[in-house]
Amino acid sequence: MNKVSILLAEDDTNLGQLLKSYLSAKEYDTILAIDGAEAMKIFKKEKFSLCLLDVMMPEMDGFTLAREIRTIDPHIPIIFLTAKNLKEDVIEGFKTGADDYLTKPFSMEELIYRIEAILRRSTKRATDVPAAEYTIGKFNFDVTRQLLTYQDQVRKLTTKETELLELLCRHQNEVLERNLALKSIWIDDNYFNARSMDVYITKLRKYLSKDENVEILNIHGKGYKLLC
Amino acid sequence: MNKVSILLAEDDTNLGQLLKSYLSAKEYDTILAIDGAEAMKIFKKEKFSLCLLDVMMPEMDGFTLAREIRTIDPHIPIIFLTAKNLKEDVIEGFKTGADDYLTKPFSMEELIYRIEAILRRSTKRATDVPAAEYTIGKFNFDVTRQLLTYQDQVRKLTTKETELLELLCRHQNEVLERNLALKSIWIDDNYFNARSMDVYITKLRKYLSKDENVEILNIHGKGYKLLC
DNA sequence: CCGTCCGTTTAACGAATTTTAACAGAATAA
DNA sequence: TTATTCTGTTAAAATTCGTTAAACGGACGG
């Protein structure tokens, strides 16, 4: 079980400190750089599991920084922090790019989710991420292998199915808010993604219907609650 | 209703003392710790209803402290106090996060409001989880599954119906004030929400009419009383 | 380069839930 | 008593959600 180390580049020192404290409290070794140039210097000296880069920074912006970082370590996961009101084409740039991103304002919960998701995806030895298995009534849900097992029947879940079910499990017996789920999984909480999420809820309900004590309850206008 | 005790961790002794005096005057037993390490020591010795933690502190910051506290008591409500000059989006981010948040400077009134809100939520949960079921005359009311059962007839309730009936049950045989119900279920107690609530009272009355000993009584100008 | 497969999104429609409106009836204060 | 505020009930409107199927688009094998 390797410790996860994060390079955080954020020029707003308040936000930077806050994030660093929060991440450290979550057992992520976090080093804060106050601009792109400093981040680069630090990155050359130490080894990191992932980078969290603000896009707008003095000295060197997040994109340029990311490019330079990639010349050293081409596969390190990078999450960008961006303002919500960026122009469409910039956002488009992120979407088509391989990197993950998070739009401000975001909640700590969303950030943690994205970090864990990206770690899950990038590390093959998946034991880094906590709670990789859940028990849902008579089901067993293996998050990292994306398997939902009922007695001897194993069902392979898709990525989105897994992500949504995992979020539901994490909030077992309490309300998972639609917006949190949308922002965590679909990044943007617009109309279409919400429809898409509905479709996945239907799928999950169908899968889980074998155990009648398990239920995904809709809390109108708020979200969903996984009962078991 | 037993006494509420608060652990306050604040390194600014002026503010700390001020808060402590104020909270004590409001009948909250308050103990002040001047840094995270001390707070942790105190927390291990005594029992608290909620914690009020400054995020930026020497020795141990608020997040780390919160994490340690949660290893001892995973459900204790925690309100963070954070610096005033954070950007809007950061603050917004925390608002949507799992933990409650208050940015300096804040008014005492605001603080008290938050404390009461979070206590309401947590005592709700505390009294909810063990007894998530009520008996209303000959009915059985399963809050978490939103089911109202009469003999062998099961009726699925909607979210709003459930929320309102639960509030009534919690105040069984005493007055549930309109404003309280409106604020906790509809958030805002304006004219339209009040009308909406009337509609739900009608619905609940219809559902409960099967047992003639059960009645939702209107207390004119005050609220409702669930008799059973 | 082409077709196929698979996961995801979009579309379309229907159902469930909540809010708003409209009007009638009770309770209360002046 | 009369005016005013508050409550009860029903129906229509608006919003949110559920489900199915088709469209889309990337990955893969030929």
Side-chain angles (χ1 to χ4, degrees):
Chain A
M1 176 99 109
N2 244 335
K3 199 139 169 74
V4 175
S5 54
I6 297 178
L7 173 60
L8 167 64
E10 169 61 65
D11 63 314
D12 176 342
T13 50
N14 279 315
L15 176 57
Q17 278 299 335
L18 224 44
L19 289 174
K20 181 184 153 114
S21 302
Y22 194 85
L23 292 171
S24 301
K26 289 278 182 183
E27 304 275 275
Y28 296 117
D29 277 346
T30 307
I31 293 184
L32 172 63
I34 53 152
D35 63 45
E38 196 197 324
M40 201 54 221
K41 227 185 284 172
I42 295 171
F43 187 81
K44 280 176 182 158
K45 287 205 206 103
E46 301 197 31
K47 181 100 184 75
F48 293 96
S49 319
L50 85 92
C51 301
L52 217 53
L53 313 179
D54 189 2
V55 171
M56 319 285 198
M57 281 186 301
E59 299 301 324
M60 196 195 297
D61 70 276
F63 283 128
T64 314
L65 175 57
R67 250 201 310 278
E68 302 233 334
I69 284 176
R70 281 274 161 77
T71 63
I72 299 175
D73 182 348
H75 295 300
I76 188 164
I78 295 177
I79 301 177
F80 289 111
L81 309 178
T82 78
K84 174 84 179 178
N85 50 357
L86 284 178
K87 290 213 184 80
E88 271 306 312
D89 52 344
V90 183
I91 301 265
E92 231 8 83
F94 284 115
K95 279 186 185 159
T96 55
D99 291 310
D100 209 343
Y101 74 103
L102 211 55
T103 55
K104 300 178 188 177
F106 52 83
S107 70
M108 290 301 127
E109 208 180 347
E110 281 167 56
L111 173 61
I112 295 296
Y113 182 87
R114 302 223 73 85
I115 289 173
E116 287 181 3
I118 207 169
L119 286 177
R120 229 188 348 258
R121 266 178 279 152
S122 66
T123 62
K124 278 164 195 159
R125 13 173 214 92
T127 41
D128 280 8
V129 185
E133 286 200 13
Y134 293 95
T135 301
I136 311 166
K138 292 181 192 151
F139 293 91
N140 180 273
F141 173 36
D142 183 333
V143 180
T144 51
R145 295 179 182 283
Q146 310 198 160
L147 297 176
L148 183 63
T149 312
Y150 180 81
Q151 289 160 6
D152 55 346
Q153 305 161 41
V154 181
R155 159 169 265 134
K156 180 135 179 63
L157 299 184
T158 69
T159 319
K160 282 263 151 38
E161 287 166 356
T162 306
E163 289 178 330
L164 183 53
L165 187 54
E166 202 236 336
L167 261 188
L168 283 165
C169 285
R170 209 183 288 193
H171 293 253
Q172 211 158 67
N173 295 315
E174 53 189 66
V175 182
L176 165 63
E177 296 196 21
R178 282 190 88 92
N179 281 352
L180 177 63
L182 284 169
K183 284 203 73 190
S184 298
I185 300 175
W186 279 267
I187 305 196
D188 197 7
D189 61 339
N190 60 33
Y191 174 82
F192 291 105
N193 288 335
R195 302 303 67 239
S196 191
M197 178 168 150
D198 287 343
V199 174
Y200 280 95
I201 287 288
T202 299
K203 288 186 179 183
L204 290 179
R205 279 189 175 136
K206 200 175 291 171
Y207 301 163
L208 294 172
S209 65
K210 282 175 195 155
D211 183 342
E212 61 195 1
N213 292 318
V214 175
E215 192 183 353
I216 299 178
L217 197 69
N218 172 249
I219 308 299
H220 193 100
K222 295 207 178 69
Y224 294 93
K225 201 151 80 168
L226 174 62
L227 297 178
C228 49
Chain B
M1 187 70 147
N2 47 25
K3 207 143 167 65
V4 174
S5 54
I6 297 178
L7 173 59
L8 167 63
E10 170 61 66
D11 62 313
D12 176 343
T13 49
N14 282 319
L15 177 57
Q17 279 300 335
L18 189 65
L19 287 173
K20 182 184 152 109
S21 315
Y22 192 84
L23 291 171
S24 300
K26 286 280 181 182
E27 304 277 281
Y28 296 119
D29 277 345
T30 308
I31 292 182
L32 172 63
I34 54 153
D35 63 45
E38 194 197 324
M40 200 55 221
K41 230 185 285 175
I42 296 172
F43 187 81
K44 281 178 183 157
K45 288 207 204 99
E46 302 197 33
K47 182 104 185 74
F48 293 96
S49 319
L50 91 93
C51 300
L52 217 54
L53 313 180
D54 190 2
V55 170
M56 318 287 194
M57 282 187 299
E59 298 303 323
M60 196 193 298
D61 68 274
F63 285 127
T64 312
L65 176 58
R67 202 182 158 280
E68 303 233 332
I69 284 176
R70 282 267 162 81
T71 63
I72 298 176
D73 183 348
H75 294 301
I76 189 165
I78 295 177
I79 300 178
F80 290 108
L81 308 177
T82 177
K84 59 190 154 195
N85 50 354
L86 285 177
K87 286 216 187 83
E88 268 307 309
D89 54 352
V90 185
I91 293 168
E92 207 36 59
F94 285 112
K95 275 188 192 157
T96 56
D99 292 308
D100 207 343
Y101 235 80
L102 212 52
T103 55
K104 303 176 189 175
F106 50 81
S107 71
M108 289 300 135
E109 197 182 354
E110 207 180 336
L111 175 61
I112 296 295
Y113 180 81
R114 292 295 184 87
I115 288 174
E116 287 179 357
I118 207 169
L119 285 177
R120 232 188 343 262
R121 259 183 280 152
S122 67
T123 57
K124 181 177 176 177
R125 197 166 306 164
T127 54
D128 226 27
V129 167
E133 292 198 8
Y134 291 95
T135 302
I136 311 166
K138 291 180 193 152
F139 294 91
N140 179 274
F141 173 35
D142 182 334
V143 180
T144 50
R145 289 188 179 270
Q146 311 196 155
L147 299 175
L148 183 63
T149 312
Y150 180 81
Q151 288 160 7
D152 56 346
Q153 305 162 39
V154 181
R155 159 169 264 134
K156 201 171 199 156
L157 299 184
T158 71
T159 308
K160 282 265 143 64
E161 288 166 358
T162 305
E163 288 175 326
L164 183 53
L165 187 52
E166 203 227 338
L167 260 189
L168 284 165
C169 284
R170 206 182 301 171
H171 295 252
Q172 214 158 64
N173 296 315
E174 54 187 67
V175 182
L176 165 63
E177 294 195 25
R178 283 190 86 92
N179 281 352
L180 180 62
L182 284 168
K183 275 198 210 146
S184 52
I185 299 176
W186 279 266
I187 312 293
D188 194 11
D189 62 339
N190 60 33
Y191 173 81
F192 291 106
N193 288 335
R195 298 320 30 252
S196 193
M197 177 167 152
D198 287 342
V199 173
Y200 280 95
I201 288 288
T202 299
K203 288 187 178 182
L204 290 179
R205 279 188 174 135
K206 198 176 292 171
Y207 301 163
L208 294 172
S209 65
K210 282 174 194 156
D211 183 343
E212 61 200 355
N213 293 317
V214 175
E215 194 182 353
I216 298 177
L217 199 69
N218 173 250
I219 311 297
H220 193 95
K222 296 218 168 58
Y224 295 93
K225 197 149 78 167
L226 174 62
L227 298 178
C228 50

